[in-house]
Amino acid sequence: MTSDHRIPFACGPDGRVMSIQEVPRGLDCQCTCPACEAPLVAKKGRRQAWHFSHAPGTSCAGALESALHIAVKQIIEEAKGLRVPTCTVVRFPEEHLNRLTRIRTGFVAPPYCYSDMPDGWVERVGAGRASSRGQDVEFDAVLVEHQEGDIRPDLVAIKGNRRLYIEVAVTHFIDDEKLRRIRARKTAAIEIVVPYTLNETVSWDRLRQLVLVETKCKHWAYHPRVEHLADQDYRAKEPMRLAAKRAAERAKKRAEETERRYKEAEREREEAEARVLELVAKARSERETEERRCLEEIRHRQQQEEIARAAAEREALARERREAEELAARRAAERAARFERLRAGVMSPEHPLESPVLLLDLDGVLQPDSPRWPRSLAFFQQALIGLPCSIVITSSSRHTLGLPAVAQMLAPLGGRHLGATPVIDANEPYGIRSREIAKWLGSHPSIRPLIVNAGKCGGWPGWQIQVILPQHGFQQGDADYVRRWVQANQ
């Protein structure tokens, strides 16, 4: 809240509200407080915003409210016109009037509500609705604080033979009693809410803009013509409401019939349960006799079943033992075939892919075109002797030479699966190697890979990588590391 000694507007010698820009400095302004009529000082310094203030030793708590209230009335009186907001009135059906108690925006005078409702609800219940567009209105005359019967509106705007009550609200708003008196006089009324957040720095032009042009602070409290149109729309929807009422009555009858049938079915169910209980009691004694007769037979049958079950368990145990022995034999045969393929076979893409996998930069690591090739290949062969694993080529030779030629070059490595990473861009075979490896790994998520690459290879996070120095080629230490890794990942 603004302090009581800073006021944006004051009353001049002629009684008109004046802004700080219109008067001289100090007591020469000859202005008084709009609330207490005490003399005011016009403070027009350089460090603070210009404002009016009470003389030292005096104060007034309602000065800001009174200044805004009187200023708004004077603006409308002098302009003799303003822009009125859009008015929407919803006429509620009698059976839905209780919903009005939950309305939180707009004025409410049962059965009317001055705030819009969802289209689906309006059509479903048959409520009447009418609207008038906002427009600029010029008045023939504007009366200030004019007594109208048992009420005194802030302003009475007159145009022809029509009147419009205008209430200015800063902290005091139209209450239910005042709204009842306005409606009793059958005169349209709007409420202009001046935000109390406007402080002492508000300008006269900003206040005029808010009052005369903007509509967000204006609300219709009563509009007889729009209410009449809403009533017409309400009467036009009478067949709709009657149809809805008949549908509700039919639904109620169906619900009652369903309830009746349910109760009847429940009664029949209880009677049936009573008959069943009677039959159960009668049959119980017969069943007890039959149970005693069958008891010995059951015991005998159980003994036979236990004997048969024990025999079946022994047979199942023997079958499981035979299956385990056969599985071990098959695995041994597969292992022997795998090592035989490693010993005497030739590397080929047709062999099954086995984990782990060495993703090999053939050109950079083993260097087929350099004198180091025989020595590097021998070290690589030594690293993989007797260890099943697959080889996947990542260098350019996979598409420049082709996998058959590469298989012949790597023939000393034995009968292993030979594969290649996909070629994403044949014109750029080096800059996207990591993307090609990532694509191949994405297609084989269960494979445990080791990337054997020449030179530094940044940007490959989370992968197991062995870096080979191109100037040295594949050495004995590299072969030892590869062998340890393959053995650990079998």
Side-chain angles (χ1 to χ4, degrees):
M1 182 178 294
T2 307
S3 57
D4 61 0
H5 64 279
R6 305 182 75 178
I7 309 168
F9 309 111
C11 294
D14 57 355
R16 291 180 62 256
V17 176
M18 306 185 72
S19 67
I20 191 68
Q21 289 80 9
E22 299 179 87
V23 299
R25 186 195 311 269
L27 289 172
D28 294 339
C29 66
Q30 299 182 7
C31 294
T32 58
C33 174
C36 66
E37 300 183 358
L40 295 180
V41 178
K43 294 189 175 181
K44 304 174 70 172
R46 295 182 179 179
R47 290 184 295 179
Q48 294 186 357
W50 291 2
H51 62 278
F52 293 100
S53 175
H54 285 82
T58 62
S59 65
C60 178
L64 176 59
E65 178 183 355
S66 298
L68 293 174
H69 195 271
I70 296 173
V72 171
K73 291 191 291 185
Q74 180 175 311
I75 288 172
I76 298 175
E77 180 186 16
E78 293 177 351
K80 289 188 177 180
L82 78 166
R83 181 174 298 170
V84 297
T86 298
C87 178
T88 299
V89 177
V90 178
R91 202 289 191 190
F92 277 57
E94 298 299 328
E95 58 271 20
H96 293 280
L97 290 181
N98 60 333
R99 188 183 178 97
L100 286 171
T101 59
R102 301 194 294 272
I103 302 298
R104 294 292 180 266
T105 59
F107 286 90
V108 174
Y112 304 102
C113 169
Y114 279 75
S115 62
D116 205 358
M117 301 295 290
D119 293 340
W121 183 86
V122 171
E123 297 302 325
R124 186 174 68 254
V125 305
R129 180 166 59 184
S131 299
S132 67
R133 294 184 301 175
Q135 58 181 328
D136 294 322
V137 180
E138 294 183 359
F139 305 121
D140 299 332
V142 177
L143 306 179
V144 179
E145 300 287 347
H146 179 70
Q147 187 70 34
E148 293 277 312
D150 58 348
I151 62 173
R152 185 191 294 269
D154 291 330
L155 296 167
V156 179
I158 303 173
K159 184 175 179 64
N161 60 351
R162 290 182 296 173
R163 290 175 175 248
L164 173 66
Y165 293 163
I166 302 175
E167 290 290 339
V168 180
V170 181
T171 57
H172 297 85
F173 304 90
I174 296 178
D175 56 18
D176 294 341
E177 177 60 23
K178 193 165 191 177
L179 180 61
R180 184 190 63 78
R181 294 181 182 181
I182 291 173
R183 295 181 62 86
R185 296 195 60 79
K186 307 259 182 225
T187 302
I190 63 173
E191 182 180 62
I192 301 177
V193 179
V194 182
Y196 200 72
T197 54
L198 294 176
N199 55 28
E200 68 279 354
T201 63
V202 64
S203 66
W204 186 260
D205 291 338
R206 175 68 187 103
L207 192 60
R208 280 179 56 85
Q209 174 76 13
L210 180 71
V211 174
L212 300 181
V213 179
E214 298 179 8
T215 59
K216 62 183 179 181
C217 63
K218 301 169 187 173
H219 312 283
W220 282 97
Y222 179 50
H223 200 313
R225 182 175 63 84
V226 179
E227 284 192 7
H228 177 69
L229 295 176
D231 286 335
Q232 289 180 342
D233 185 55
Y234 180 78
R235 289 191 293 271
K237 292 178 180 177
E238 182 65 22
M240 180 191 305
R241 289 193 299 278
L242 291 177
K245 184 177 181 180
R246 286 194 292 269
E249 291 176 352
R250 289 194 298 270
K252 183 179 179 180
K253 289 181 180 179
R254 288 195 298 269
E256 292 175 351
E257 178 65 18
T258 301
E259 180 68 17
R260 184 188 65 78
R261 291 179 181 178
Y262 173 77
K263 291 181 178 179
E264 182 177 351
E266 186 70 15
R267 178 180 57 79
E268 292 177 354
R269 184 185 64 80
E270 292 176 354
E271 293 176 354
E273 287 181 354
R275 289 194 298 271
V276 169
L277 291 176
E278 182 180 355
L279 292 175
V280 168
K282 181 179 179 180
R284 183 176 298 158
S285 59
E286 298 176 358
R287 186 175 63 250
E288 290 175 353
T289 302
E290 182 67 16
E291 287 177 354
R292 284 192 297 271
R293 185 186 65 82
C294 295
L295 183 59
E296 290 299 325
E297 181 181 350
I298 292 174
R299 289 176 179 172
H300 176 72
R301 187 166 57 250
Q302 288 177 346
Q303 292 175 355
Q304 297 299 320
E305 289 176 354
E306 289 177 358
I307 295 173
R309 188 183 305 112
E313 289 177 354
R314 287 193 298 272
E315 177 63 25
L317 185 59
R319 184 171 59 254
E320 290 177 358
R321 186 180 298 111
R322 289 194 301 271
E323 291 175 353
E325 292 173 353
E326 291 173 358
L327 178 60
R330 283 199 305 272
R331 289 182 176 175
E334 290 175 358
R335 207 163 33 245
R338 182 188 306 169
F339 283 105
E340 177 62 23
R341 187 173 66 246
L342 286 177
R343 185 184 64 80
V346 178
M347 188 173 295
S348 170
E350 302 301 326
H351 293 322
L353 179 65
E354 295 180 316
S355 183
V357 173
L358 299 180
L359 292 154
L360 177 62
D361 175 9
L362 177 63
D363 300 340
V365 174
L366 300 184
Q367 303 176 6
D369 297 331
S370 73
R372 301 188 185 94
W373 162 250
R375 180 180 177 85
S376 298
L377 181 60
F379 282 140
F380 204 75
Q381 179 184 6
Q382 177 184 352
L384 300 182
I385 290 176
L387 295 178
C389 70
S390 300
I391 306 294
V392 175
I393 304 302
T394 62
S395 57
S396 60
S397 58
R398 72 193 191 281
H399 57 83
T400 57
L401 300 178
L403 286 183
V406 174
Q408 292 299 323
M409 294 170 58
L410 300 178
L413 299 183
R416 305 176 185 274
H417 172 84
L418 177 66
T421 55
V423 178
I424 296 178
D425 185 357
N427 297 322
E428 190 69 28
Y430 302 106
I432 55 178
R433 179 174 299 175
S434 62
R435 290 167 52 194
E436 294 172 342
I437 293 175
K439 185 173 182 180
W440 189 91
L441 291 176
S443 303
H444 305 82
S446 62
I447 293 297
R448 293 187 294 277
L450 172 65
I451 301 173
V452 184
N453 195 75
K456 296 182 178 179
C457 45
W460 298 354
W463 296 344
Q464 185 72 27
I465 302 173
Q466 182 185 16
V467 178
I468 306 300
L469 298 178
Q471 62 269 28
H472 296 153
F474 195 79
Q475 300 293 319
Q476 180 65 52
D478 301 322
D480 294 341
Y481 177 83
V482 169
R483 185 169 185 84
R484 287 195 302 272
W485 185 88
V486 173
Q487 289 174 337
N489 288 274
Q490 285 293 316

